[in-house]
Amino acid sequence: MNPPQSRDPNRVIVFDTTLRDGEQSPGASMNLGEKLEVARTLEALGVDVIEAGFPVASPDDFAAVKTIAEQSQRAIICGLARSLKGDIERAAEAVKPAGSRGRVHIFLATSAIHRQFKLNKVKEEIVKQARESVAYARTLCDDIEFSPEDASRTEPDFLAEVVQAVIDAGARTVNIPDTVGYAYPEDYANLISYLRKNVRGIDDVVISVHCHNDLGLAVANSLAAVRAGARQVECTINGIGERAGNCSLEEVVMAMRVRKDQFPGITTGIVSQHLYGASRLLQSITGLPLQRNKAIVGDNAFAHESGIHQHGMMKNPETYEIMTPKSVGVPDTNMVLGKHSGRAALGKRLEQLGLAVEDADLNKVFDAFKILADKKKEMYDGDLIALVEEVVRGTTASVWRLDYLHTASASGESAGSGAMATATVRLVKDGKSKTDAATGDGPVHAVVAAINRICGVDGLVEDYRLRAVTKGGDAQGEVSIRASVRGVTIGGKGLSTDIVHASALAYLDALNRASLQVERLDYRTAAS
Ligand code: KIV
Ligand code: ZN
């Protein structure tokens, strides 16, 4: 990335915080392997900055930022830090392997309510701390971003004073967060204009925006800010993030692209054809399903149900479509590969779908592809995306692994829906297997009960969804569940041509994720 002075003034920097703010949302914890997979996908997608984590938060967070910094190829890798020496040192150390692409992002709250109740500090102390922390960070790393937390609820003149102080101390990017999602587009744009008028040298640094979605305005606020001169947008895939989430990357990028009339000359580095693949990968890794009507990447985003719409679409797709499914990578429903396709053809197609799979994983995906191609007559892009998700998750998130599953109705026949059923399950963990059986009101209930007995937990399935990945009687079924297990509510996914098998995999996925989350919480509590 160029230093700010020589930047293209029309280029909007896409700063992705899926791995930091996104990962803070309930149920979105990721392990190291999963974070690396997301980071690779983000680079393939063309994001400019990856906020990879909060290094001081735990050794796992530190290791994730450092490993992503080591393995990244192109993007700026950023680590978050409070305005404290120890945090800044940890963040600088974590991003160091990225060399000149390392960034430290410091935040300190500035609003009256945060000053009084969170920090117990007066204005002068905040300005001093902000200035000193940026100056100190500059001795460790060239690229410093500063965020006055809760900026949108801060008195504008005081905000300008803080922003002036951090620019004078050497910050290259000043981020103006709408931390609690309170801003309104016009006011937020006015705030950016106000800062541009009242802070010396602000046009020599990058003005960034970071909007939360508490009122459903995160994308609208970010777009308004870009029109007022902001040139970095902080966002997440699928809009995941604290509470109601962050500005959604796919929505903000496509809005600027489709509405060029409102954003003349504005560009981003995003390869829009990779948006759908990135969205699917994240859903799969976190187990957080997306609502069907989610803009750009939801299942219904390009579905036309009414006859009038279908008729118009046949005459001219532009009657009801403002962008093509292809432009955002929604998979083609045409058959793409078959059982005779080779590894190279598979790798090429995955690349076209924006799924950056490592060589070792590609071998596993290819093996799974061959097995599935024997079962299924036709293979669609959706099947390939689901396979990658399955293999990547299977290699990174497994603690307990499903080794054997048999279900039968109470009368001993294969279990049908609604019948009392028995399930026999064998799981493997650390090379040791355990088998148990249980009964339930139907096969899925029985499977969950058997898994609970083996793992010694008392988990419950709270939400259950089944989706056919592609069309046809031999389509793979993808089960997404939300389960309450080990005191956390968490998502899980499973994929199989057999839905009871897919359900078992989904529940086990949730259970494994819950264990990971509980271990992390235990660590954070012990360390704080
Ligand atoms: O929402 C927020 O204010 C943040 C900061 C750390 C930038 O996430
Ligand atoms: Zn945030």
Side-chain angles (χ1 to χ4, degrees):
M1 172 86 30
N2 296 332
Q5 300 86 328
S6 57
R7 289 189 62 249
D8 170 357
N10 285 327
R11 169 75 187 265
V12 171
I13 297 166
V14 176
F15 174 116
D16 181 279
T17 183
T18 304
L19 293 173
R20 201 278 298 168
D21 219 332
E23 211 237 354
Q24 280 172 225
S25 57
S29 296
M30 295 173 232
N31 66 24
L32 178 60
E34 291 167 335
K35 286 183 179 178
L36 282 170
E37 198 61 36
V38 171
R40 271 195 292 275
T41 302
L42 291 174
E43 282 209 307
L45 181 61
V47 309
D48 301 289
V49 186
I50 297 175
E51 186 162 55
F54 190 4
V56 82
S58 75
D60 278 357
D61 288 57
F62 178 84
V65 179
K66 185 162 182 274
T67 315
I68 291 170
E70 281 160 3
Q71 298 195 5
S72 63
Q73 310 281 322
R74 187 195 54 77
I76 289 176
I77 305 301
C78 177
L80 184 70
R82 287 169 299 180
S83 180
L84 299 171
K85 239 177 149 192
D87 279 39
I88 293 168
E89 284 162 2
R90 209 68 184 133
E93 198 185 332
V95 300
K96 205 171 183 171
S100 62
R101 290 184 290 104
R103 175 181 294 187
V104 173
H105 176 189
I106 303 168
F107 72 100
L108 177 63
T110 52
S111 63
I113 188 164
H114 280 236
R115 293 195 308 265
Q116 185 183 349
F117 294 101
K118 193 172 97 172
L119 301 172
N120 196 18
K121 287 200 160 122
V122 295
K123 286 178 173 173
E124 293 70 27
E125 290 172 295
I126 299 285
V127 176
K128 182 168 182 287
Q129 188 176 340
R131 182 190 306 111
E132 287 177 0
S133 62
V134 170
Y136 179 62
R138 276 300 302 262
T139 66
L140 305 174
C141 178
D142 280 344
D143 186 357
I144 305 300
E145 169 168 337
F146 183 85
S147 286
E149 191 189 7
D150 205 14
S152 56
R153 292 195 301 169
T154 300
E155 306 89 319
D157 57 340
F158 178 56
L159 183 64
E161 192 182 334
V162 175
V163 171
Q164 185 72 69
V166 297
I167 290 176
D168 292 346
R172 276 194 189 174
T173 303
V174 285
N175 184 35
I176 308 301
D178 181 27
T179 303
V180 292
Y182 180 75
Y184 182 77
E186 240 172 286
D187 295 345
Y188 196 49
N190 287 340
L191 182 61
I192 302 296
S193 303
Y194 173 86
L195 293 172
R196 289 186 71 192
K197 272 198 204 97
N198 291 285
V199 177
R200 241 179 312 107
I202 196 166
D203 285 334
D204 297 331
V205 303
V206 175
I207 303 175
S208 169
V209 286
H210 175 112
C211 298
H212 280 269
N213 207 28
D214 301 67
L215 293 173
L217 291 172
V219 173
N221 284 331
S222 306
L223 294 171
V226 168
R227 281 164 57 87
R231 286 296 177 265
Q232 175 174 287
V233 171
E234 303 199 354
C235 45
T236 58
I237 302 289
N238 298 338
I240 67 165
E242 284 275 14
R243 308 179 309 280
N246 287 61
C247 171
S248 139
L249 183 149
E250 53 281 355
E251 292 176 24
V252 78
V253 165
M254 289 314 288
M256 289 188 283
R257 198 160 291 187
V258 171
R259 294 305 306 271
K260 284 199 176 69
D261 56 326
Q262 298 294 323
F263 298 90
I266 292 288
T267 60
T268 70
I270 296 297
V271 184
S272 65
Q273 292 79 359
H274 291 181
L275 287 170
Y276 181 81
S279 163
R280 293 286 318 169
L281 183 85
L282 187 72
Q283 283 177 68
S284 164
I285 281 180
T286 58
L288 293 175
L290 217 53
Q291 77 267 28
R292 296 185 73 86
N293 61 334
K294 165 80 172 64
I296 317 292
V297 288
D299 283 348
N300 288 358
F302 294 94
H304 300 273
E305 195 68 30
S306 95
I308 296 174
H309 286 209
Q310 287 171 354
H311 183 71
M313 285 289 294
M314 281 188 297
K315 297 255 175 196
N316 179 349
E318 284 181 25
T319 48
Y320 286 103
E321 225 165 58
I322 57 169
M323 62 197 136
T324 62
K326 203 171 165 197
S327 68
V328 297
V330 169
D332 214 327
T333 46
N334 294 326
M335 194 177 78
V336 287
L337 296 175
K339 71 194 254 185
H340 302 297
S341 306
R343 187 181 175 283
L346 175 69
K348 180 101 190 92
R349 187 66 200 145
L350 295 180
E351 211 180 296
Q352 286 164 351
L353 291 169
L355 296 166
V357 178
E358 278 204 320
D359 266 5
D361 281 344
L362 180 58
N363 288 334
K364 290 186 196 130
V365 176
F366 186 58
D367 292 344
F369 168 80
K370 285 284 175 197
I371 293 168
L372 185 63
D374 272 339
K375 286 193 211 156
K376 265 189 115 243
K377 285 198 293 294
E378 296 171 317
M379 298 283 278
Y380 300 96
D381 282 347
D383 286 314
L384 302 184
I385 292 172
L387 269 186
V388 171
E389 293 166 355
E390 191 61 12
V391 167
V392 169
R393 261 210 340 274
T395 53
T396 56
S398 282
V399 182
W400 286 103
R401 196 174 50 74
L402 181 66
D403 195 39
Y404 171 81
L405 167 67
H406 178 74
T407 53
S409 69
S411 60
E413 290 151 21
S414 231
S417 65
M420 237 348 236
T422 309
T424 307
V425 174
R426 184 165 63 235
L427 301 182
V428 180
K429 184 181 175 186
D430 299 331
K432 291 191 194 112
S433 69
K434 271 192 176 182
T435 307
D436 213 326
T439 53
D441 306 332
V444 174
H445 190 210
V447 165
V448 169
I451 293 177
N452 278 346
R453 285 172 67 101
I454 295 175
C455 302
V457 296
D458 196 11
L460 265 183
V461 175
E462 292 181 347
D463 186 38
Y464 180 97
R465 292 179 208 194
L466 172 65
R467 175 180 95 97
V469 171
T470 48
K471 52 189 184 179
D474 59 357
Q476 298 190 89
E478 182 184 76
V479 172
S480 308
I481 59 160
R482 281 204 84 64
S484 150
V485 60
R486 298 196 65 192
V488 286
T489 302
I490 201 147
K493 271 196 183 183
L495 179 77
S496 171
T497 47
D498 176 281
I499 59 170
V500 178
H501 185 230
S503 307
L505 293 174
Y507 184 64
L508 210 50
D509 187 31
L511 201 142
N512 285 334
R513 283 170 193 287
S515 305
L516 192 75
Q517 187 151 321
V518 168
E519 277 161 30
R520 280 207 197 165
L521 284 176
D522 287 350
Y523 176 86
R524 286 188 183 175
T525 315
S528 63

